[in-house]
Amino acid sequence: MGFLVQLLAFILSLLLVSMRAEDIINSPQPCDFRAIFNFGDSNSDTGCMAAAFYPEVSPYGETFFHQPVGRASDGRLIIDFIAQHLGFPLLSAYINSIGTSYRHGANFAAGSSTIRRQNRTVFEGGTPFTFEIQTEQFNQFKQRTGKFFNQARKSSFRGHFPRPDDFAKALYTFDIGQNDIAAAINRVGTEDSHAVISDIVEHFSKQVQNLHEVGARTFWIHNSGPIGCLPVAMPVHNNATNHTPEAGYLDQNGCVNYENDMAREFNKKLKNMVVKLRAKFLDASLIYVDMFSTKYELISNANKEGFVEPSEICCGYHKDGYHLYCGNKGMINGKEILAGSCEDPSKYISWDGVHYTEAANRWIVNRILNGSFSDPPVPITHSCRALKL
Ligand SMILES: *[C@@H]1O[C@H](CO)[C@@H](O)[C@H](O)[C@H]1NC(C)=O
Ligand SMILES: *[C@@H]1O[C@H](CO)[C@@H](O)[C@H](O)[C@H]1NC(C)=O
Ligand SMILES: *[C@@H]1O[C@H](CO)[C@@H](O)[C@H](O)[C@H]1NC(C)=O
């Protein structure tokens, strides 16, 4: 018996190993995705923090939604474009109770979220919704919707929630880690950054394993973007006009090299994590998506791609070392200033100095959907099929 099982497993592994990326791309059968469950920070928060704490202010949302909708952009986020590409409605935030449907998934992402628990309150720019809490919320969501489904066969609840067998046929997407890297950047010199980054990735791995244990099978994992290219971090917005940074501090795009190096180290370790988990879970499809390179390519070719300089910020007041974030009012040098938006957000990469515009998000998503920045290079529509390549 044991031998037969082993033999079968061996034959199966031969079949799987012989599958190549090209076969998957050419395979006529896209995945039969039933839902999307997303985990992340403000890069993919579609309303969690706005529902939990303070609503977002204008002009957030002005381009696409024509009102603030809890997204840190003028319009759609990458996760929104992914949902639309797969034929789903936009994802509702899990804790948003107004006008939401979870029939095709839920979004657990929350702005400011980190993989590791931080010692910061919401008022210090933190959030209680760490990656661990997000997976815990997912567990509750799965258990409780399952109960409703079984108990209330005719209940009107059923139209609002996924079916129990949708969970194994769902796409699980991840975009988290940037805030952990930012915290590590703030503590450079006071701790061993390499050990910290390894620990962050360990925590990431643990959550992916927890989700696998409760039935998740297709993982689409974004790595971390070039944090040193976020305009608010650039010396040009931080009263560094009289201060010439030492050679090597900035790259040719004005991005802070050592900050990007932290993201690169995280990404390298994250990719190793994915490779390890792939070997461990033969029944799971894990795709590593190189957002860093995609975003960096856009930043490096901003003008050629029809955008203004990548350091420019569409919404907010960031001059002479003063920072007034998008949508806020404040007194600067005795003058009241409203930090409003630029005339044409579609020409900007950065919406508010930290988050990307809808135009940039669209550019990025158009590059990643077909798999050209993924390992293995499979389109998202076929991402469930990258078993043990
Ligand atoms: C939070 O504070 C505790 C106690 O001071 C410390 O041990 C821990 O490392 C801190 N965590 C982070 C992420 O800074
Ligand atoms: C930044 O530098 C300018 C010119 O040196 C100065 O007027 C301004 O007050 C500085 N801003 C801050 C926030 O210190
Ligand atoms: C994916 O799409 C991008 C942008 O449209 C294109 O440049 C690239 O060649 C495509 N890659 C593949 C593998 O089809």
Side-chain angles (χ1 to χ4, degrees):
M1 183 63 193
F3 172 72
L4 257 184
V5 171
Q6 269 180 19
L7 184 68
L8 274 174
F10 178 66
I11 292 171
L12 193 65
S13 73
L14 283 184
L15 285 173
L16 293 175
V17 167
S18 71
M19 280 182 78
R20 305 165 67 90
E22 299 88 76
D23 298 338
I24 293 171
I25 293 162
N26 295 331
S27 151
Q29 281 298 323
C31 309
D32 177 22
F33 287 130
R34 305 286 175 83
I36 303 176
F37 296 104
N38 181 67
F39 303 82
D41 55 29
S42 57
N43 286 321
S44 62
D45 180 346
T46 57
C48 170
M49 289 299 272
F53 302 106
Y54 294 105
E56 212 150 48
V57 294
S58 277
Y60 280 90
E62 66 173 11
T63 298
F64 184 74
F65 302 99
H66 309 300
Q67 59 181 320
V69 288
R71 286 165 173 77
S73 180
D74 59 314
R76 284 164 290 181
L77 308 180
I78 287 167
I79 188 64
D80 292 319
F81 287 114
I82 288 177
Q84 290 185 324
H85 181 74
L86 295 176
F88 293 121
L90 303 185
L91 284 189
S92 293
Y94 164 67
I95 68 156
N96 192 357
S97 53
I98 317 275
T100 46
S101 165
Y102 302 101
R103 178 65 190 87
H104 298 290
N107 190 1
F108 301 90
S112 309
S113 280
T114 45
I115 296 167
R116 297 198 310 172
R117 195 179 296 176
Q118 305 291 316
N119 294 327
R120 285 184 304 161
T121 69
V122 170
F123 301 99
E124 295 162 335
T127 164
F129 306 115
T130 58
F131 195 7
E132 182 188 352
I133 296 298
Q134 291 180 31
T135 56
E136 204 46 51
Q137 290 178 332
F138 168 79
N139 286 339
Q140 275 211 48
F141 178 85
K142 183 168 181 279
Q143 283 167 17
R144 296 178 67 197
T145 55
K147 258 186 212 157
F148 274 128
F149 193 84
N150 292 328
Q151 285 168 3
R153 294 231 150 255
K154 293 196 186 92
S155 149
S156 60
F157 279 120
R158 293 185 63 184
H160 295 284
F161 296 119
R163 310 277 184 268
D165 58 359
D166 290 345
F167 288 90
K169 290 183 172 172
L171 174 67
Y172 292 76
T173 54
F174 304 85
D175 195 313
I176 193 162
Q178 184 166 299
N179 295 317
D180 297 83
I181 296 166
I185 287 170
N186 283 334
R187 291 195 297 266
V188 161
T190 68
E191 63 186 15
D192 177 355
S193 303
H194 305 298
V196 166
I197 290 173
S198 298
D199 190 55
I200 295 168
V201 173
E202 281 295 308
H203 278 73
F204 199 134
S205 175
K206 193 157 164 254
Q207 296 316 319
V208 170
Q209 296 186 60
N210 286 345
L211 288 168
H212 180 268
E213 195 174 318
V214 296
R217 289 298 176 265
T218 302
F219 300 85
W220 179 267
I221 300 172
H222 292 173
N223 72 5
S224 197
I227 188 167
C229 299
L230 297 182
V232 289
M234 290 179 171
V236 58
H237 294 293
N238 287 288
N239 234 10
T241 37
N242 305 323
H243 161 76
T244 314
E246 54 205 270
Y249 186 76
L250 300 179
D251 69 8
Q252 71 279 9
N253 297 313
C255 307
V256 181
N257 268 325
Y258 85 94
E259 295 185 1
N260 279 347
D261 287 343
M262 299 274 273
R264 287 192 184 97
E265 182 177 343
F266 170 83
N267 290 342
K268 197 171 153 216
K269 289 175 173 169
L270 183 69
K271 191 168 180 183
N272 286 340
M273 173 203 95
V274 169
V275 169
K276 274 196 200 138
L277 292 178
R278 224 177 251 155
K280 185 167 176 183
F281 299 134
L282 300 183
D283 59 357
S285 185
L286 292 115
I287 316 287
Y288 170 86
V289 187
D290 189 0
M291 300 303 277
F292 187 106
S293 298
T294 320
K295 289 174 172 174
Y296 199 74
E297 191 174 305
L298 172 60
I299 288 160
S300 304
N301 298 296
N303 297 159
K304 202 177 117 226
E305 297 295 332
F307 292 92
V308 299
E309 291 306 310
S311 61
E312 303 239 348
I313 300 171
C314 172
C315 185
Y317 180 95
H318 302 274
K319 266 194 216 136
D320 303 326
Y322 295 102
H323 292 280
L324 202 52
Y325 281 84
C326 179
N328 287 295
K329 259 194 210 137
M331 298 293 286
I332 287 175
N333 287 334
K335 261 197 352 215
E336 176 159 293
I337 296 199
L338 169 67
S341 62
C342 59
E343 201 160 296
D344 187 358
S346 74
K347 292 274 176 291
Y348 286 72
I349 293 174
S350 185
W351 163 244
D352 60 6
V354 178
H355 306 100
Y356 291 75
T357 56
E358 164 165 309
N361 286 332
R362 180 192 284 109
W363 191 98
I364 294 160
V365 95
N366 280 339
R367 300 294 179 297
I368 62 166
L369 287 173
N370 66 7
S372 51
F373 284 91
S374 298
D375 174 76
V378 294
I380 196 165
T381 47
H382 292 66
S383 54
C384 64
R385 310 229 185 279
L387 295 158
K388 193 76 180 87
L389 279 162

